[in-house]
């Protein structure tokens, strides 16, 4: 019979079954008295993650999620939780096996399908201990060893069929080891230089071949380091942006990241405690429990007040503290903006009307050169009165074979510019004429110069003066100041936001311009930052020309 929902918003999952098996056979690590069995019981949010991880397709009964990412702060409890999931993949009922007489999912262990090998992976032996040591403790304190005939040795766990093994990025440790499940710990440190990128790819490929699952457990990563955690976050952002709407399989990733609010102040105790409670969720030790659920959960194990005090210790690096405890994605030292700064400016509720003054910013690309990925072409709008940036058009080189020989669609882009002038009260438009767009800029100047209040010059009202580095430096600095003080807002377009997070400061005598990260020239695009800067400069000039909220739109004269 088909699946039968039990309540509104119900979905089929093996999460409840797996949690019951954990509580029955596994002991809680660091339980204290060895003579008393203390079962491993999940918190509410851990159960929610498990239910999503083991979500099933109600039509076919197959598992939907093949890849998970759980980003939580230090001390939240990621390691024992994921250790429990890896034990479950090794011995418990996790392979879907249809529906029972009540229309509820049933399952069988991997050993009924193939030999289960499970990997506890990290880039160093010391890192593997984060998950490996609590995993052994959970087995040794519970009844799973006797019930499933296991031998939990220090170097591996022998199953009746298969084994659980800690592995590192050493080629010898992963060669031929095809795991049905793998935990990838601290992937914010997995980079190309230490073999982490290759290790992650190998584990995912093996899981794909076998129909298995991989789970990342990073702490908040540093932007621009090109870690495995950062690449996973970007993949998730692409999915949310609708980039893969025609590919159902890419939705098989479950991404769970809950940072402290962007406006959390680390110099204010109340704000800091609130931010820590949000980031730590059920694990936050507070008399009222976790306020993320109604009713509140039981008090957890992390003392948020004690954790907050460490932020005031001047010996601690604030950026590291934000990443480790507030779960906020950190910026590289030369980053233009931080993740909390730019996300604090996102406002998806603003609507730009046809009469309010708007400026445009354009940065173009000439397309793919040799084997390098082409720069992005962007057209950004900026409401002068609302101080609000919004995407009009972003044109990027497609992935894969479709990107071979790619050139930006100039006709489509020219139509987008013309439509922007029809739809909005455009009072200024600054554009970079380089990269093959000089002719188009000249044409835009000829067509629209009479409407523009803000002009670079009388002769060339749209063309941005590339040699005026001082103006570029000053404008980027003014824009950053506005972002830091939340004096401007963004529509939340994920590509636009990512370009800001990719941008690095490149010092000049007059200040700084923006550049790509030195080790990420192909994929760390920043073109939208220049589009926003041009639009912002035009908006500033428009205000200087007296453009106000009462400016009325001059409609094009109609031919009779």
């Amino acid at each position: 019979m088909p699946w039968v929902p039990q309540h509104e918003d119900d979905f089929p999952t093996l999460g409840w079954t797996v949690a019951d098996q954990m509580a029955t056979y596994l002991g809680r690590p660091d339980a204290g008295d060895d003579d008393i069995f203390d079962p491993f019981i999940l918190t509410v949010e851990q159960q929610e993650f498990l239910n999503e991880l083991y979500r099933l397709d109600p039509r076919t009964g197959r598992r939907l999620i093949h890849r998970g990412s759980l980003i939580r702060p230090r001390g939240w409890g990621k390691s024992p939780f994921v250790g429990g999931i890896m034990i479950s993949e090794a011995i418990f009922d996790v392979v879907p096996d249809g529906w029972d007489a009540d229309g509820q999912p049933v399952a069988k262990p991997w050993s009924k399908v193939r030999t289960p090998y499970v990997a506890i992976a990290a880039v160093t032996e010391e890192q593997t201990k984060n998950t490996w040591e609590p995993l052994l403790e959970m087995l040794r304190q519970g009844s799973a060893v006797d019930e499933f005939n296991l031998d939990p040795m220090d170097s591996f766990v022998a199953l009746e069929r298969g084994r659980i093994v800690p592995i590192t990025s050493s080629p010898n440790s992963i060669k031929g080891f095809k795991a049905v499940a793998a935990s990838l710990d601290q992937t914010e440190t997995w980079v190309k230089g230490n073999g982490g990128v290759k290790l992650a790819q190998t584990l995912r490929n093996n899981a794909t071949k076998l129909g298995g699952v991989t789970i990342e457990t990073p702490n908040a990563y540093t932007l621009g380091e090109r870690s495995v955690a950062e690449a996973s976050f970007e993949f998730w952002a692409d999915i949310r942006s609708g980039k893969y709407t025609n590919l159902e399989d890419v939705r098989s990733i479950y991404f769970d990241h809950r940072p402290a609010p962007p406006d959390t102040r680390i110099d204010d105790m109340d704000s800091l405690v609130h931010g820590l409670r949000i980031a730590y969720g059920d694990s936050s030790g507070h008399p009222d429990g976790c306020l993320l659920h109604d009713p509140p959960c039981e008090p957890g194990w992390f003392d948020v007040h004690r954790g907050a005090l460490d932020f005031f210790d001047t010996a601690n690096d604030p950026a590291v503290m934000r990443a480790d405890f507030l779960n906020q994605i950190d910026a590289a030292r030369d980053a233009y903006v931080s993740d909390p700064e730019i996300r604090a400016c996102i406002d998806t509720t603003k609507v730009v009307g046809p009469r309010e003054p708007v400026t445009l910013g354009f940065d173009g690309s000439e397309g793919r050169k040799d084997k390098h990925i082409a720069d992005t072409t962007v057209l950004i709008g900026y409401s002068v009165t609302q101080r609000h940036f919004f995407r009009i058009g972003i044109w990027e080189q497609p992935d894969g074979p479709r990107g071979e020989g790619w050139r930006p669609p100039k006709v489509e882009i020219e139509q987008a510019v013309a439509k922007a002038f029809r739809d909005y009260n455009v009072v200024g438009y600054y554009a970079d004429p380089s990269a093959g767009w000089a002719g188009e800029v000249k044409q835009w100047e000829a067509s629209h110069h009479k409407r523009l209040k803000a002009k670079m010059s009388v002769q060339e009202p749209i063309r941005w003066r590339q040699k005026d580095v001082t103006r570029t430096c000053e404008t980027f600095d003014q824009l950053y100041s506005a972002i830091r003080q939340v004096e401007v807002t963004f529509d939340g377009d994920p590509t636009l936001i990512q370009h800001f997070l990719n941008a690095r400061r490149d010092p000049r005598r007059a200040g700084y311009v923006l550049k790509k990260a030195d080790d990420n020239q192909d994929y760390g695009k920043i073109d939208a930052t220049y589009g926003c800067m041009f639009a912002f400069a035009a908006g500033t000039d428009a205000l200087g020309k007296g453009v106000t909220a009462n400016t009325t739109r001059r409609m094009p004269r109609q031919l009779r």
Side-chain angles (χ1 to χ4, degrees), residues 17 20-21 26 71 81 86 97 150 154 161 177 194 235 252 265-266 354 377 379 421 441 451 453 455 474 524 549:
T17 300
D20 287 343
Q21 292 173 99
L26 303 181
I71 305 180
F81 176 44
M86 292 299 103
D97 197 25
L150 310 178
D154 289 343
R161 184 183 179 192
F177 191 79
N194 60 23
F235 176 45
S252 63
R265 293 182 53 188
I266 63 174
T377 295
L379 180 63
F421 273 90
V441 170
R451 284 185 58 180
K453 302 296 183 183
K455 299 180 180 181
E474 289 177 347

Short mmCIF file of all heavy atoms in Angstrom, two decimals, residues 17 20-21 26 71 81 86 97 150 154 161 177 194 235 252 265-266 354 377 379 421 441 451 453 455 474 524 549:
data_model
loop_
_atom_site.label_atom_id
_atom_site.label_comp_id
_atom_site.label_asym_id
_atom_site.label_seq_id
_atom_site.Cartn_x
_atom_site.Cartn_y
_atom_site.Cartn_z
N THR A 17 12.57 6.15 13.33
CA THR A 17 13.04 4.78 13.54
C THR A 17 14.51 4.75 13.91
O THR A 17 14.93 4.03 14.83
CB THR A 17 12.81 3.95 12.26
OG1 THR A 17 11.41 3.93 11.95
CG2 THR A 17 13.31 2.52 12.44
N ASP A 20 15.05 5.98 17.47
CA ASP A 20 14.67 4.95 18.45
C ASP A 20 15.77 3.91 18.61
O ASP A 20 16.07 3.46 19.73
CB ASP A 20 13.37 4.26 18.02
CG ASP A 20 12.14 5.15 18.21
OD1 ASP A 20 12.25 6.14 18.96
OD2 ASP A 20 11.10 4.85 17.60
N GLN A 21 16.39 3.54 17.49
CA GLN A 21 17.48 2.55 17.56
C GLN A 21 18.70 3.12 18.28
O GLN A 21 19.38 2.42 19.03
CB GLN A 21 17.84 2.09 16.14
CG GLN A 21 16.74 1.27 15.48
CD GLN A 21 17.04 0.98 14.02
OE1 GLN A 21 17.52 -0.12 13.69
NE2 GLN A 21 16.78 1.94 13.15
N LEU A 26 22.65 2.67 21.92
CA LEU A 26 23.84 3.50 22.08
C LEU A 26 23.80 4.25 23.40
O LEU A 26 22.75 4.75 23.82
CB LEU A 26 23.97 4.49 20.93
CG LEU A 26 24.00 3.92 19.51
CD1 LEU A 26 24.15 5.06 18.50
CD2 LEU A 26 25.11 2.91 19.35
N ILE A 71 26.19 22.83 9.87
CA ILE A 71 27.11 23.86 10.35
C ILE A 71 26.60 24.38 11.68
O ILE A 71 25.56 25.04 11.75
CB ILE A 71 27.25 25.03 9.35
CG1 ILE A 71 27.66 24.51 7.96
CG2 ILE A 71 28.25 26.05 9.83
CD1 ILE A 71 27.82 25.59 6.93
N PHE A 81 26.67 13.41 17.65
CA PHE A 81 25.45 13.25 16.85
C PHE A 81 25.75 12.57 15.53
O PHE A 81 25.10 11.58 15.16
CB PHE A 81 24.82 14.62 16.64
CG PHE A 81 23.60 14.61 15.75
CD1 PHE A 81 22.61 13.65 15.89
CD2 PHE A 81 23.44 15.58 14.76
CE1 PHE A 81 21.48 13.65 15.08
CE2 PHE A 81 22.32 15.59 13.94
CZ PHE A 81 21.34 14.62 14.10
N MET A 86 26.60 7.71 11.82
CA MET A 86 27.49 6.77 11.14
C MET A 86 27.33 5.34 11.68
O MET A 86 27.36 4.38 10.91
CB MET A 86 28.94 7.23 11.29
CG MET A 86 29.28 8.53 10.54
SD MET A 86 29.06 8.43 8.74
CE MET A 86 27.50 9.31 8.53
N ASP A 97 12.60 -0.10 2.67
CA ASP A 97 12.13 -1.42 2.25
C ASP A 97 10.61 -1.44 2.15
O ASP A 97 9.96 -2.40 2.57
CB ASP A 97 12.62 -2.48 3.24
CG ASP A 97 12.53 -3.90 2.68
OD1 ASP A 97 12.56 -4.04 1.43
OD2 ASP A 97 12.41 -4.84 3.47
N LEU A 150 29.64 -6.76 17.46
CA LEU A 150 30.64 -5.81 17.01
C LEU A 150 31.91 -5.95 17.83
O LEU A 150 31.90 -6.44 18.96
CB LEU A 150 30.12 -4.37 17.17
CG LEU A 150 28.73 -4.06 16.60
CD1 LEU A 150 28.37 -2.61 16.89
CD2 LEU A 150 28.67 -4.35 15.11
N ASP A 154 40.37 0.22 18.83
CA ASP A 154 40.80 1.62 18.78
C ASP A 154 41.00 2.11 17.35
O ASP A 154 40.81 3.30 17.07
CB ASP A 154 42.11 1.79 19.56
CG ASP A 154 41.90 1.66 21.05
OD1 ASP A 154 40.74 1.76 21.50
OD2 ASP A 154 42.89 1.46 21.78
N ARG A 161 29.70 -7.93 9.11
CA ARG A 161 29.98 -7.78 7.68
C ARG A 161 30.32 -6.32 7.44
O ARG A 161 29.46 -5.46 7.53
CB ARG A 161 28.76 -8.19 6.86
CG ARG A 161 28.98 -8.16 5.35
CD ARG A 161 27.72 -8.52 4.61
NE ARG A 161 27.92 -8.46 3.17
CZ ARG A 161 26.94 -8.50 2.27
NH1 ARG A 161 25.68 -8.59 2.68
NH2 ARG A 161 27.20 -8.45 0.98
N PHE A 177 38.58 2.20 -0.70
CA PHE A 177 37.64 2.14 0.42
C PHE A 177 36.33 2.80 0.00
O PHE A 177 36.18 4.02 0.06
CB PHE A 177 38.23 2.85 1.64
CG PHE A 177 37.44 2.60 2.91
CD1 PHE A 177 37.57 1.42 3.60
CD2 PHE A 177 36.54 3.55 3.37
CE1 PHE A 177 36.84 1.18 4.76
CE2 PHE A 177 35.80 3.32 4.52
CZ PHE A 177 35.96 2.13 5.22
N ASN A 194 45.89 20.51 1.46
CA ASN A 194 46.04 19.38 2.38
C ASN A 194 45.30 18.13 1.91
O ASN A 194 45.14 17.17 2.66
CB ASN A 194 45.58 19.77 3.79
CG ASN A 194 44.12 20.21 3.85
OD1 ASN A 194 43.31 19.87 3.00
ND2 ASN A 194 43.80 21.01 4.87
N PHE A 235 27.22 25.92 -3.48
CA PHE A 235 26.34 25.01 -4.20
C PHE A 235 24.91 25.14 -3.68
O PHE A 235 23.94 25.23 -4.44
CB PHE A 235 26.85 23.58 -4.04
CG PHE A 235 25.97 22.52 -4.66
CD1 PHE A 235 25.45 22.69 -5.93
CD2 PHE A 235 25.68 21.35 -3.97
CE1 PHE A 235 24.64 21.71 -6.50
CE2 PHE A 235 24.89 20.38 -4.53
CZ PHE A 235 24.35 20.55 -5.80
N SER A 252 19.12 17.01 -3.69
CA SER A 252 19.35 15.91 -2.76
C SER A 252 20.31 16.30 -1.64
O SER A 252 20.70 15.46 -0.85
CB SER A 252 19.91 14.70 -3.51
OG SER A 252 21.17 15.01 -4.09
N ARG A 265 25.78 42.19 18.44
CA ARG A 265 26.90 43.03 18.85
C ARG A 265 27.74 42.28 19.87
O ARG A 265 27.24 41.85 20.91
CB ARG A 265 26.38 44.34 19.46
CG ARG A 265 25.68 45.25 18.47
CD ARG A 265 25.25 46.54 19.15
NE ARG A 265 26.37 47.18 19.84
CZ ARG A 265 26.23 48.24 20.64
NH1 ARG A 265 25.02 48.76 20.85
NH2 ARG A 265 27.29 48.78 21.23
N ILE A 266 29.03 42.16 19.57
CA ILE A 266 29.90 41.41 20.48
C ILE A 266 30.41 42.27 21.62
O ILE A 266 31.13 41.78 22.49
CB ILE A 266 31.08 40.78 19.72
CG1 ILE A 266 31.98 41.85 19.10
CG2 ILE A 266 30.59 39.81 18.67
CD1 ILE A 266 33.25 41.28 18.47
N PRO A 354 7.82 53.26 -10.46
CA PRO A 354 8.20 53.81 -11.77
C PRO A 354 8.56 55.28 -11.74
O PRO A 354 9.17 55.78 -12.68
CB PRO A 354 6.96 53.56 -12.63
CG PRO A 354 5.83 53.52 -11.66
CD PRO A 354 6.38 52.92 -10.41
N THR A 377 28.71 39.78 -16.74
CA THR A 377 28.17 41.08 -17.15
C THR A 377 26.98 41.39 -16.25
O THR A 377 26.11 40.53 -16.05
CB THR A 377 27.74 41.06 -18.62
OG1 THR A 377 28.90 40.87 -19.45
CG2 THR A 377 27.05 42.36 -19.01
N LEU A 379 23.99 44.39 -14.75
CA LEU A 379 23.25 45.65 -14.81
C LEU A 379 22.50 45.78 -13.49
O LEU A 379 21.60 44.99 -13.20
CB LEU A 379 22.29 45.67 -15.99
CG LEU A 379 21.45 46.95 -16.16
CD1 LEU A 379 22.35 48.15 -16.43
CD2 LEU A 379 20.43 46.78 -17.29
N PHE A 421 15.22 51.76 -18.90
CA PHE A 421 14.90 53.18 -19.13
C PHE A 421 13.40 53.39 -19.33
O PHE A 421 12.88 54.46 -19.02
CB PHE A 421 15.69 53.71 -20.34
CG PHE A 421 17.05 54.22 -19.98
CD1 PHE A 421 18.15 53.38 -20.00
CD2 PHE A 421 17.24 55.55 -19.62
CE1 PHE A 421 19.43 53.85 -19.67
CE2 PHE A 421 18.49 56.03 -19.29
CZ PHE A 421 19.60 55.18 -19.31
N VAL A 441 28.29 51.80 -25.06
CA VAL A 441 28.23 52.94 -24.15
C VAL A 441 27.99 54.22 -24.95
O VAL A 441 27.19 55.08 -24.55
CB VAL A 441 29.52 53.04 -23.31
CG1 VAL A 441 29.57 54.36 -22.54
CG2 VAL A 441 29.61 51.86 -22.34
N ARG A 451 17.91 62.62 -20.61
CA ARG A 451 17.15 62.24 -19.41
C ARG A 451 18.01 62.26 -18.15
O ARG A 451 17.50 62.30 -17.04
CB ARG A 451 16.56 60.84 -19.56
CG ARG A 451 15.35 60.76 -20.46
CD ARG A 451 14.77 59.36 -20.46
NE ARG A 451 14.40 58.91 -19.11
CZ ARG A 451 13.87 57.72 -18.87
NH1 ARG A 451 13.68 56.86 -19.86
NH2 ARG A 451 13.53 57.38 -17.64
N LYS A 453 20.28 63.24 -15.11
CA LYS A 453 20.64 64.36 -14.24
C LYS A 453 22.09 64.22 -13.78
O LYS A 453 22.82 65.21 -13.70
CB LYS A 453 19.71 64.39 -13.01
CG LYS A 453 18.24 64.50 -13.36
CD LYS A 453 17.91 65.81 -14.05
CE LYS A 453 16.40 65.91 -14.30
NZ LYS A 453 16.06 67.14 -15.05
N LYS A 455 25.80 63.03 -14.48
CA LYS A 455 26.62 62.79 -15.67
C LYS A 455 28.09 62.79 -15.28
O LYS A 455 28.53 63.63 -14.48
CB LYS A 455 26.37 63.86 -16.73
CG LYS A 455 24.93 63.91 -17.23
CD LYS A 455 24.75 65.00 -18.28
CE LYS A 455 23.31 65.06 -18.77
NZ LYS A 455 23.12 66.08 -19.81
N GLU A 474 37.45 56.24 -3.61
CA GLU A 474 36.57 56.99 -2.71
C GLU A 474 35.15 56.41 -2.72
O GLU A 474 34.51 56.30 -1.67
CB GLU A 474 36.53 58.46 -3.12
CG GLU A 474 37.83 59.20 -2.84
CD GLU A 474 37.78 60.64 -3.34
OE1 GLU A 474 36.84 60.97 -4.10
OE2 GLU A 474 38.69 61.43 -2.97
N GLY A 524 35.72 33.21 -8.34
CA GLY A 524 35.33 34.21 -7.36
C GLY A 524 34.94 35.52 -8.00
O GLY A 524 35.61 36.54 -7.83
N ALA A 549 12.91 62.96 -3.65
CA ALA A 549 11.76 62.05 -3.73
C ALA A 549 10.62 62.63 -4.53
O ALA A 549 9.75 61.91 -5.01
CB ALA A 549 11.28 61.70 -2.32
#
